[in-house]
Amino acid sequence: DAGVIQSPRHEVTEMGQEVTLRCKPISGHDYLFWYRQTMMRGLELLIYFNNNVPIDDSGMPEDRFSAKMPNASFSTLKIQPSEPRDSAVYFCASSPRTGGIQYFGAGTRLSVL
Amino acid sequence: AQKITQTQPGMFVQEKEAVTLDCTYDTSDPSYGLFWYKQPSSGEMIFLIYQGSYDQQNATEGRYSLNFQKARKSANLVISASQLGDSAMYFCAMREVFNDYKLSFGAGTTVTVRA
């Protein structure tokens, strides 16, 4: 079985540009999570979806960040405009049920210059 | 308040020896779950082991075992017979019903296995 698939693995962009990160969850998983990992703040939950519906976006840092899940097999996290402080590793994870084990993708390492 | 505390920023262990990674947690939720994840230098987060608050037995998965001491609110990970490939960052995490089942992560412990 394929795990959670994220693309791209690495993204380098300039300040002010739009960045789109992509995630394909494990088939059959109802929950999808977006996390951000930085040295200063560790792993932070940004937003999560249940059955494609955003449930909790309280971790989204500001309006420049948005996330969508148009169907059960695809989600995007968009940053517009990007800033150097957005540089981090962004993880997507999926889970089959409430409180279930979350399986993570390989992450996208974002560098905003 | 910190929900998950991992007090060991880094540890060294000799190959083939066992190592214990400490994790203490803070919750008033009677129903919670504890997880350990491994993050090698390549960056991915790998699920290792899970312990539910009502589980009577300590969880085990191959060379990984979880020393769950509920009264002390600790959930230490034990890796037996360490291998070079065990060198990585290890994260303890907790999910609580009170917190909508969201995971709270500790700061992590870096383990370096020496040959």
Side-chain angles (χ1 to χ4, degrees), chain B:
Chain B
Q2 198 76 1
K3 287 180 179 286
I4 295 285
T5 302
Q6 294 181 253
T7 57
Q8 308 149 309
M11 301 181 69
F12 290 94
V13 60
Q14 206 63 31
E15 197 177 11
K16 298 180 186 177
E17 292 187 349
V19 62
T20 298
L21 309 183
D22 295 341
C23 173
T24 57
Y25 58 91
D26 182 23
T27 182
S28 56
D29 191 342
S31 178
Y32 55 90
L34 297 154
F35 303 77
W36 279 92
Y37 286 85
K38 171 184 178 182
Q39 187 174 37
S41 58
S42 50
E44 68 268 34
M45 292 283 287
I46 303 166
F47 165 74
L48 294 179
I49 196 166
Y50 166 79
Q51 179 87 42
S53 58
Y54 293 119
D55 293 343
Q56 295 297 312
Q57 306 244 354
N58 285 345
T60 60
E61 288 285 350
R63 294 187 298 110
Y64 303 109
S65 59
L66 203 152
N67 184 2
F68 182 45
Q69 298 190 41
K70 197 169 182 177
R72 293 186 177 184
K73 293 189 175 180
S74 76
N76 299 339
L77 177 70
V78 180
I79 306 173
S80 62
S82 296
Q83 302 172 356
L84 295 178
D86 294 333
S87 294
M89 179 84 97
Y90 290 81
F91 290 94
C92 181
M94 176 174 66
R95 62 117 172 105
E96 306 160 276
V97 175
F98 286 175
N99 194 26
D100 263 352
Y101 298 97
K102 293 184 286 191
L103 282 183
S104 302
F105 284 86
T109 296
T110 301
V111 172
T112 304
V113 181
R114 290 169 163 159

Side-chain angles (χ1 to χ4, degrees), chain A residues 14-18 80-83 112-113:
Chain A
E14 292 190 348
M15 185 173 64
Q17 296 298 306
E18 177 179 295
Q80 165 64 14
S82 57
E83 296 182 3
V112 183
L113 307 178

